[in-house]
Amino acid sequence: MPDLSGLNAPQREAVCTSSGPLLVLAGAGTGKTRVITYRMARLIAEGVRPDRILSVTFTNKAAREMRERTMQLLGGRRGPRPLVTTFHSWCVRVLREDIEVLGWPKQFTIYDRGDQEATARRALRDIRVAEQSMRPADLIGRISRWKMAGITEDRAADAVESDFDSLAAMAYRRYQQQLRAAGAVDFDDLLLLTVRLFRTCPDVLQKHQSRYDHVQIDEYQDTNAVQFELMARLVEPHGNICVVGDDDQSIYGWRGAEVEHILNFASRFPGTRTVRLENNYRCTDTIIRHANCLVRHNRHRHDKRLVAHKHQGAPVRHLVFPDETKEAEHVVGEIAWILSELRVHPGDVAVLFRTNEQPRLFEAEMRRQKVPYRLVGGQSFFDRREIRDVLAYLKVLASPSDESSLLRIINTPARGIGTSSTEKLVALAVQRGVSLWDVIPEAAASGTVPDRAVAALTEFRRLLNRYRTEMQEQPSRLPEITQRLLTEIRYETEIERQYREETQREQRRAVVEDLINSIGQYVEREASPSLHGFLETAALMDRDEDPADEPNTGQVALMTLHSAKGLEFPRVYLVGMEENLLPHRRSVESGLEKDICEERRLCYVGITRAMDHLTLTRAATRMKWGKRRESMPSRFLFEMQESPGDDLNEERVGYDEAEHDMAADFDAPF
């Protein structure tokens, strides 16, 4: 039995509640991961078979941490283990068993963002919609919102709210047809198809229900409609569901999360026991006071108040600068000073922003003042051109019907198959309703494409068939075979064509090497490796990794508030505390209370990232469309005060005495 003496009373109550619906309201910094892991360990110690426990979360990092902590509590015992996984990974497990019922092959391909955009582009072309009217990225965004709400392509036409939606609904149907023809799914399909499977196949649902006696969900406030339905159906026989989350940190409404799931949990699951974790071990009392004052302005929330266990902290500073340039200069200058004079470690400092545009000035200043920094949430490893090229080759080897990947590599590196020939083949394939490979003989006989292109295509197909056979027969040699493939197609020439500088070429070669290494690591880790298995691992890694999960290499973190969730830093600068930045202009202009409430929660998340020192800054003026305009202080600055009439206690920095006082007091119109 795990030792519970290190837990506080509410934590122990949550850990010891082993049956029925349990709602754990875990405020920021209150030890929710401890509760989840101790609860799993206690269930196992009480006799529950480990493999009868399913614990679901949102990122690979969180899943790894839960697994490792639980096994440590159990003393590294061998044998079955609880299944601790992400929503998407769990859905892949379900679909690999039964997706054929829905008309997809068991060895389906998981499309990444690039594959989705290529498919969306073809769908728009098929319904004669120009990219000027609707970009592929916009279509994908609309389809994703429909899927997260559980709306299939057959029902999208009933959910349209504009002319844009009407076109998107038509393209959605075509997009899904192309996915099915390619034996592919996108990330939202992993969830939506699992729900469809559970709705239409009671025997499949019953099979999965019978596997688990206990289900736990982490970060429950972030669940969307489809994720909610999946878990609700799964626990119907026993009702042993434990959800852990914080409605005050629900900040992903833009990607389908519905805070109502955690607000209405008790009404959805009668007999719910609610435990509040309010003891905050992360932040000082002054920081917690600001956070509590702010979030209480949200009316629709669970009643709770964080209690700080770190007292007599440094005051929270409110700084106002004449403009955004002075704001960046001063903040970075202060960081440079504390790094050199106070010997603060760079990794202990974070600068948080609301928008992706704000870091530009701070990056420039970091470079100028030689402050080491990292911009969290930049380009993903899997978004790099070279990685997408190599993965496209592997996807075509795994699934010959994957035309999105085939079209990416058909002439990469150049092999004499021009754009014109490719377009003619695609048009003929669409007209005939068959694959691109199937129309090559007809195109050759009719002279639709030149003989040299036909010869190149024939040779290319032979090469793919040869490597496909090798990878199927020798899966343990996937890294070597992939390396040999890249050598044979002379992929090095593609790198040389794309980049002129030798340093750039070296960086890109290193990126390709990293991918080969990741294949090797996959083969080492798996008892039965396969090309399909690696591609699935890579796809889920790309989707379920959080940009903020990158290891801290001793650099100041520049990141958006969304990226900062779940992290903590001794020193935090929350910059741009102005109306139309935080809260964001879109939320202000929508006029909807729910939008402002989510912005307030986002600010609350930012405040509670700070452990010891919090500095809030704003610019009195900001350049907008080439003209300098006055900025209004964020309403959230006023809401952080304990009494409505309290002064902001702002410190004016970077002003000349003769300057007009842009920071004069005024009545905030909120």
Side-chain angles (χ1 to χ4, degrees):
M1 188 73 67
D3 179 10
L4 306 186
S5 61
L7 303 180
N8 61 36
Q11 289 173 335
R12 278 197 301 276
E13 182 184 356
V15 167
C16 295
T17 302
S18 55
S19 62
L22 172 64
L23 170 62
V24 181
L25 295 171
T30 58
K32 73 178 179 66
T33 305
R34 265 189 122 197
V35 166
I36 293 171
T37 53
Y38 268 84
R39 189 171 183 276
M40 278 195 287
R42 183 176 172 84
L43 285 171
I44 294 166
E46 287 178 340
V48 176
R49 273 179 44 191
D51 55 356
R52 305 286 299 174
I53 301 172
L54 171 66
S55 199
V56 186
T57 185
F58 281 83
T59 68
N60 290 309
K61 177 187 177 184
R64 281 194 302 271
E65 185 178 356
M66 277 190 230
R67 274 194 299 268
E68 290 165 2
R69 284 210 207 175
T70 303
M71 297 321 293
Q72 284 171 3
L73 289 173
L74 293 169
R77 63 186 277 173
R78 298 186 179 182
R81 296 187 175 194
L83 178 56
V84 185
T85 186
T86 65
F87 276 99
H88 290 91
S89 294
W90 182 74
C91 287
V92 168
R93 284 173 173 254
V94 174
L95 294 174
R96 288 289 181 213
E97 290 185 32
D98 297 295
I99 197 173
E100 287 176 311
V101 175
L102 302 177
W104 268 263
K106 278 194 176 182
Q107 296 300 331
F108 57 84
T109 300
I110 303 172
Y111 271 8
D112 61 20
R113 178 72 184 194
D115 299 325
Q116 285 182 268
E117 290 204 7
T119 305
R121 187 171 287 108
R122 290 201 301 278
L124 290 169
R125 189 175 60 208
D126 288 350
I127 64 170
R128 307 288 191 270
V129 174
E131 283 200 33
Q132 292 85 346
S133 302
M134 185 182 298
R135 297 182 307 152
D138 295 332
L139 173 60
I140 291 169
R142 193 67 196 89
I143 290 174
S144 181
R145 287 194 296 277
W146 274 327
K147 288 184 177 181
M148 287 186 291
I151 298 172
T152 63
E153 69 272 25
D154 299 324
R155 292 175 44 220
D158 299 327
V160 299
E161 299 174 356
S162 63
D163 291 342
F164 177 94
D165 281 359
S166 296
L167 289 175
M170 293 169 58
Y172 181 9
R173 185 181 293 272
R174 188 73 188 118
Y175 172 87
Q176 287 301 114
Q177 288 171 351
Q178 291 180 6
L179 285 179
R180 188 187 288 258
V185 300
D186 62 22
F187 285 105
D188 295 315
D189 281 331
L190 293 175
L191 303 175
L192 190 57
L193 290 176
T194 305
V195 161
R196 189 186 298 180
L197 198 57
F198 285 0
R199 286 176 184 169
T200 58
C201 304
D203 56 328
V204 173
L205 172 60
Q206 187 177 18
K207 176 175 69 173
H208 290 282
Q209 287 174 335
S210 68
R211 288 179 175 173
Y212 308 108
D213 297 323
H214 295 270
V215 174
Q216 296 190 142
I217 307 173
D218 184 27
E219 302 287 7
Y220 187 67
Q221 77 281 347
D222 294 337
T223 53
N224 61 36
V226 177
Q227 289 161 333
F228 171 78
E229 182 176 347
L230 275 174
M231 295 296 110
R233 285 180 179 272
L234 194 64
V235 301
E236 279 173 354
H238 51 71
N240 292 330
I241 179 171
C242 166
V243 302
V244 183
D246 181 10
D247 49 302
D248 290 334
Q249 296 186 74
S250 179
I251 59 173
Y252 294 116
W254 51 276
R255 68 182 192 196
E258 297 179 20
V259 70
E260 290 77 14
H261 292 159
I262 195 166
L263 293 177
N264 302 330
F265 182 83
S267 59
R268 175 61 181 80
F269 296 95
T272 291
R273 186 168 186 171
T274 301
V275 177
R276 289 170 169 79
L277 306 184
E278 298 176 313
N279 294 282
N280 177 283
Y281 300 97
R282 174 191 299 158
C283 314
T284 62
D285 51 356
T286 52
I287 293 170
I288 290 300
R289 194 161 58 247
H290 275 65
N292 283 332
C293 288
L294 173 68
V295 80
R296 73 185 179 196
H297 285 79
N298 278 355
R299 290 182 295 172
H300 302 293
R301 57 186 289 265
H302 284 289
D303 182 30
K304 56 188 178 302
R305 183 180 180 85
L306 291 179
V307 178
H309 278 248
K310 291 165 66 173
H311 298 291
Q312 297 179 333
V316 173
R317 297 188 302 159
H318 298 169
L319 307 183
V320 57
F321 301 92
D323 54 50
E324 67 273 34
T325 302
K326 289 279 198 327
E327 180 185 42
E329 287 175 355
H330 178 86
V331 168
V332 175
E334 183 172 294
I335 292 172
W337 185 84
I338 64 175
L339 296 187
S340 63
E341 300 302 317
L342 302 184
R343 301 298 180 192
V344 170
H345 187 269
D348 289 343
V349 184
V351 182
L352 307 184
F353 314 87
R354 173 61 181 91
T355 71
N356 288 315
E357 292 73 40
Q358 287 172 268
R360 181 181 60 81
L361 285 171
F362 289 84
E363 279 199 89
E365 274 302 307
M366 294 274 184
R367 289 185 181 130
R368 189 178 71 81
Q369 300 194 41
K370 296 182 171 52
V371 174
Y373 76 94
R374 61 182 180 130
L375 182 61
V376 177
Q379 187 183 40
S380 160
F381 174 77
F382 294 94
D383 285 339
R384 291 176 170 88
R385 175 198 292 268
E386 294 72 29
I387 299 303
R388 291 172 54 74
D389 285 347
V390 179
L391 287 178
Y393 270 95
L394 297 179
K395 288 175 184 177
V396 171
L397 293 175
S399 303
S401 58
D402 185 351
E403 288 195 1
S404 175
S405 296
L406 174 61
L407 292 173
R408 181 179 183 90
I409 62 171
I410 199 164
N411 202 43
T412 303
R415 53 177 57 88
I417 307 168
T419 304
S420 174
S421 295
T422 303
E423 288 176 351
K424 289 174 182 175
L425 287 169
V426 169
L428 190 56
V430 170
Q431 184 182 338
R432 297 284 186 271
V434 296
S435 77
L436 184 143
W437 293 118
D438 293 334
V439 298
I440 291 175
E442 180 184 344
S446 63
T448 303
V449 296
D451 291 345
R452 66 180 182 279
V454 172
L457 280 164
T458 303
E459 182 55 36
F460 184 42
R461 190 173 192 177
R462 281 200 203 101
L463 176 134
L464 293 175
N465 287 339
R466 178 157 46 86
Y467 277 96
R468 182 176 298 116
T469 300
E470 276 199 65
M471 289 187 172
Q472 288 171 349
E473 293 177 349
Q474 304 176 69
S476 63
R477 299 186 62 239
L478 281 175
E480 301 98 301
I481 297 171
T482 305
Q483 178 66 65
R484 188 151 36 82
L485 168 64
L486 295 179
T487 301
E488 184 166 345
I489 64 174
R490 301 182 69 238
Y491 190 73
E492 174 72 22
T493 62
E494 182 67 12
I495 292 176
E496 291 172 355
R497 184 180 71 84
Q498 292 288 341
Y499 308 100
R500 292 188 177 183
E501 299 287 333
E502 183 55 33
T503 53
Q504 289 181 312
R505 292 174 177 176
E506 275 301 317
Q507 289 171 352
R508 301 302 164 159
R509 292 185 194 108
V511 165
V512 174
E513 182 184 352
D514 279 347
L515 180 61
I516 302 295
N517 291 340
S518 72
I519 300 174
Q521 289 156 0
Y522 161 79
V523 169
E524 282 182 349
R525 192 172 58 245
E526 294 294 322
S528 301
S530 68
L531 178 56
H532 278 286
F534 169 72
L535 290 172
E536 179 180 299
T537 299
L540 292 172
M541 190 69 70
D542 187 23
R543 172 59 177 80
D544 288 333
E545 284 298 336
D546 191 315
D549 291 346
E550 300 163 5
N552 190 334
T553 54
Q555 299 163 308
V556 174
L558 301 184
M559 64 175 73
T560 64
L561 289 163
H562 285 100
S563 295
K565 185 169 174 289
L567 302 178
E568 59 183 35
F569 301 88
R571 294 173 182 267
V572 166
Y573 293 82
L574 178 44
V575 303
M577 291 291 297
E578 301 149 37
E579 288 291 300
N580 296 320
L581 274 180
L582 185 64
H584 194 277
R585 177 178 52 80
R586 284 193 304 269
S587 298
V588 173
E589 292 177 352
S590 79
L592 299 175
E593 183 186 7
K594 71 179 183 66
D595 291 342
I596 295 297
C597 287
E598 180 151 326
E599 291 289 312
R600 188 175 287 115
R601 292 193 293 266
L602 193 56
C603 185
Y604 172 85
V605 165
I607 292 170
T608 54
R609 298 313 94 197
M611 300 166 68
D612 303 308
H613 299 271
L614 173 64
T615 301
L616 306 169
T617 76
R618 71 177 180 92
T621 69
R622 198 169 284 269
M623 189 71 74
K624 294 177 179 127
W625 296 103
K627 292 186 178 180
R628 184 154 298 284
R629 304 180 190 277
E630 284 195 48
S631 297
M632 295 171 61
S634 169
R635 69 189 73 188
F636 301 151
L637 288 169
F638 296 91
E639 292 175 357
M640 288 177 207
Q641 311 309 305
E642 291 191 89
S643 300
D646 285 356
D647 186 12
L648 287 180
N649 292 321
E650 285 185 329
E651 178 186 345
R652 293 169 61 234
V653 182
Y655 285 87
D656 293 330
E657 288 301 320
E659 261 186 312
H660 173 63
D661 186 4
M662 303 295 289
D665 290 338
F666 62 89
D667 292 329
F670 315 125

